[in-house]
Amino acid sequence: MSGTQTVTWDTDEIIAKRDKYYAASQRAFIPYEKPLILKRGAMQYVWDEQDNRLIDLLGMNLCISVGHAHPKVVAAVQEQVGQLTHCTTMFYHPV
């Protein structure tokens, strides 16, 4: 993150923030005894808060076919955000 907000990688603080802001249904599924805290991703890899490189074998949601931080996807997102950040389905937009 950039700007004036400071990101803290303290495990207890991250857990507390998740408990405070996530709905109970979102907090219910925790598959690990110790949370896996992801710091960044690039293509098929993710790095945890200790900078250990892992292969993302889940491939869930948006990264399933292109990987994390794919340069073409990043460029397209940056271009779109510069024009219009969000358009609800109430309105029409060609993209």
Side-chain angles (χ1 to χ4, degrees), residues 13-25:
E13 193 169 325
I14 292 169
I15 292 169
K17 189 180 289 185
R18 180 184 175 101
D19 289 344
K20 180 177 180 179
Y21 292 109
Y22 276 33
S25 60

Side-chain angles (χ1 to χ4, degrees), residues 7 10 14 21 26 29-30 32 38-39 51-52 56-57 65 67 70-71 75 81 84 91-92 94:
V7 176
D10 177 72
I14 292 169
Y21 292 109
Q26 292 173 306
F29 179 69
I30 302 172
Y32 303 103
L38 299 179
K39 189 173 185 177
D51 283 328
N52 295 306
D56 184 355
L57 297 174
S65 61
H70 191 288
V81 168
L84 182 65
F91 308 112
Y92 288 70

Side-chain angles (χ1 to χ4, degrees), residues 3-78:
T4 58
Q5 187 175 9
T6 302
V7 176
T8 301
W9 292 101
D10 177 72
T11 299
D12 292 332
E13 193 169 325
I14 292 169
I15 292 169
K17 189 180 289 185
R18 180 184 175 101
D19 289 344
K20 180 177 180 179
Y21 292 109
Y22 276 33
S25 60
Q26 292 173 306
R27 292 190 314 265
F29 179 69
I30 302 172
Y32 303 103
E33 186 175 317
K34 179 191 177 288
L36 177 59
I37 299 171
L38 299 179
K39 189 173 185 177
R40 63 187 173 96
M43 303 308 288
Q44 74 270 32
Y45 299 107
V46 291
W47 285 261
D48 68 9
E49 80 281 12
Q50 303 295 317
D51 283 328
N52 295 306
R53 185 177 78 169
L54 309 163
I55 296 175
D56 184 355
L57 297 174
L58 287 177
M60 298 173 69
N61 300 329
L62 301 175
C63 64
I64 192 165
S65 61
V66 298
H68 297 277
H70 191 288
K72 289 184 180 181
V73 174
V74 170
V77 169
Q78 287 175 332

